[in-house]
């Protein structure tokens, strides 16, 4: 499932020089340019190609300029119309690389939340070293069932997908069994803000914070907390996961980005090291978490008394 890293030979996507969403745009542009080359080599104008495929002319333009991502059938139709069927498999491989690199949530979750959890579990099985930074919420592998339920509820609200929260929560909790496997290693870095954001009711968050404290005792789990008073070397712009040393996953509101270019891996590895270096661990991390628990519990008590 990883994006390809083969040198550019005119049929696959070229190596990307930038990261994140920019590289996705470049990959789509590269695919569009290759389609244009095939059309030009066949001596067809954009209008002539569109007419031969019964497409609106604007579709050819959008595909060639990277404004629209082609489907598998679009690729097959294009190569057939341009007498370049020998390019079909290479173009499909490039397309599927792009789809994995920029996996839209609307497409991933269209059949429900549970199947995506199962896909992640398959990826977990292949991963030995997990490094994760989160600035907003608790990582899925560390979530209580109750906290996870609220995270999944947001996905249903935002993406209007099928409500299979119970199954998704069960799948996420089952995934957490890997925390207790001695052949796996985990390094989590969270901001104090992630402990304080009101993404669920106080009583649910209190249970979640208690779980974080208990997880600091696991021998293969390293949990760092960056307190509010800490001076950052690198701003905590967004969360990300580094799986082994060959894949970076970044979640945006619209999609999951999967990055695998060497320069991307090196960049995110360096950023993680900088963030991890200023985090507190062990007793100091538990002190921060327990302080948040004390304040949240007191606030919750006041509400009950009011």
């Amino acid at each position: 499932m990883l994006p390809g890293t083969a040198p550019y030979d005119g049929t696959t996507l070229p190596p990307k020089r930038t990261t994140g969403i920019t590289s996705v745009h470049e990959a789509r542009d590269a695919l569009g340019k290759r389609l244009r080359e095939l059309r030009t080599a066949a001596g067809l104008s954009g209008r002539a190609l569109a007419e031969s495929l019964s497409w609106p002319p604007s579709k050819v333009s959008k595909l060639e300029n990277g404004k629209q991502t082609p489907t598998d059938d679009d690729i097959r139709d294009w190569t057939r119309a341009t007498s370049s069927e020998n390019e079909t498999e290479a173009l499909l491989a490039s397309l599927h690389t792009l789809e994995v690199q920029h996996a839209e949530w609307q497409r991933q979750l269209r059949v429900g939340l549970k199947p995506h959890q199962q896909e992640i579990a398959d990826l977990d099985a292949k991963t030995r070293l997990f490094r994760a930074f989160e600035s907003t919420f608790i990582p899925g592998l560390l979530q209580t069932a109750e906290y996870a339920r609220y995270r999944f509820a947001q996905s249903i609200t935002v993406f209007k997908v099928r409500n299979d929260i119970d199954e998704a929560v069960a799948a996420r909790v089952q995934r957490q069994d890997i925390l207790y496997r001695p052949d796996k290693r985990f390094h989590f870095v969270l901001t104090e803000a992630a402990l304080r954001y009101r993404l669920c009711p106080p009583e649910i968050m209190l249970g979640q914070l208690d779980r974080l404290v208990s997880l600091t005792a696991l021998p293969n789990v390293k949990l760092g907390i960056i307190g509010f008073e800490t001076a950052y070397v690198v701003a905590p712009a967004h969360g990300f996961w580094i799986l082994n040393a060959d894949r970076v996953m970044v979640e945006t509101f619209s999609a999951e980005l999967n990055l695998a270019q060497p320069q991307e891996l090196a960049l995110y590895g360096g950023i993680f090291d900088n963030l991890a270096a200023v985090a507190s661990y062990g007793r100091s991390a538990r002190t921060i978490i327990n302080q948040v628990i004390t304040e949240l519990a007191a606030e919750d008590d006041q509400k009950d008394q009011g």
Side-chain angles (χ1 to χ4, degrees):
M1 292 179 63
L2 295 179
T5 57
Y8 184 49
D9 62 2
T11 59
T12 56
L13 298 184
K16 291 170 281 296
R17 296 176 298 278
T18 54
T19 60
I21 294 174
T22 300
S23 62
V24 172
H25 289 167
E26 288 184 350
R28 189 181 290 115
D29 287 344
L31 180 57
K33 288 177 181 177
R34 183 57 185 152
L35 293 176
R36 182 186 297 113
E37 290 172 0
L38 296 178
R39 174 181 60 76
T40 302
L44 294 172
S45 66
R47 180 172 296 277
L49 177 61
E51 289 177 353
S52 71
L53 297 173
S54 299
W55 289 355
S58 60
K59 180 172 180 177
V60 172
S61 176
K62 289 177 180 178
L63 292 176
E64 290 186 347
N65 290 291
K67 304 300 183 183
Q68 179 177 331
T69 302
T71 65
D72 286 14
D73 286 341
D74 290 341
I75 294 292
R76 293 189 182 97
D77 289 343
W78 193 290
T79 56
R80 186 180 65 254
T82 58
S83 300
S84 55
E85 288 91 340
N86 60 317
E87 302 283 354
T88 302
E89 293 306 316
L91 289 169
L92 287 174
S94 295
L95 172 61
H96 298 160
T97 293
L98 174 60
E99 289 174 340
V100 169
Q101 187 182 11
H102 187 269
E104 294 180 356
W105 291 121
Q106 199 70 53
R107 175 165 55 83
Q108 289 199 88
L109 304 180
R110 65 181 182 274
V111 294
L113 300 166
K114 180 184 176 182
H116 183 58
Q117 289 301 302
Q118 294 172 325
E119 290 178 6
I120 297 176
D122 292 339
L123 185 57
D124 289 344
K126 303 172 185 176
T127 305
R128 292 292 176 266
L129 173 62
F130 299 75
R131 287 173 288 171
F133 170 72
E134 292 291 358
S135 58
T136 305
F137 49 79
I138 308 303
L141 286 177
L142 306 183
Q143 293 176 6
T144 64
E146 294 80 10
Y147 184 95
R149 185 174 296 276
Y150 278 87
R151 302 304 311 127
F152 286 129
Q154 175 179 305
S155 295
I156 290 174
T157 299
V158 172
F159 301 111
K160 307 296 188 296
V161 295
R162 185 168 69 88
N163 187 338
D164 60 347
I165 287 183
D166 291 341
E167 294 89 341
V169 169
R172 174 161 289 180
V173 171
Q174 185 175 7
R175 278 181 55 216
Q176 295 173 357
D177 288 346
I178 66 170
L179 291 172
Y180 305 95
R181 286 182 47 177
D183 61 325
K184 306 280 191 181
R185 291 188 297 129
F186 305 87
H187 188 172
F188 299 98
V189 177
L190 311 180
T191 66
E192 184 176 342
L195 311 182
R196 293 182 178 274
Y197 278 130
R198 305 306 171 86
L199 304 180
C200 61
E203 63 272 18
I204 300 298
M205 195 62 197
L206 285 170
Q208 176 63 70
L209 295 172
D210 281 336
R211 175 166 168 75
L212 289 183
V213 172
S214 67
L215 289 173
T216 62
L218 292 180
N220 60 330
V221 174
K222 186 176 183 180
L223 176 61
I225 307 295
I226 304 177
F228 278 143
E229 76 287 351
T230 304
Y232 283 89
V233 176
V234 178
H238 62 76
F240 59 90
W241 288 67
I242 306 175
L243 306 183
N244 291 326
D246 54 20
R247 180 171 184 160
V248 176
M249 298 176 66
V250 181
E251 294 184 357
T252 72
F253 273 110
S254 63
E256 174 187 275
L257 304 180
N258 290 270
L259 312 177
Q261 294 295 321
Q263 67 270 27
E264 294 172 323
L265 297 171
L267 174 65
Y268 276 91
I271 290 172
F272 183 85
D273 290 344
N274 275 304
L275 293 167
V278 299
S280 297
Y281 296 88
R283 182 179 299 176
S284 296
R286 289 190 290 273
T287 296
I288 297 173
I289 299 171
N290 284 323
Q291 180 61 36
V292 178
I293 290 174
T294 299
E295 295 177 12
L296 185 58
E299 180 181 323
D300 197 34
D301 288 342
Q302 288 180 352
K303 288 182 179 179
D304 290 340
Q305 294 172 3

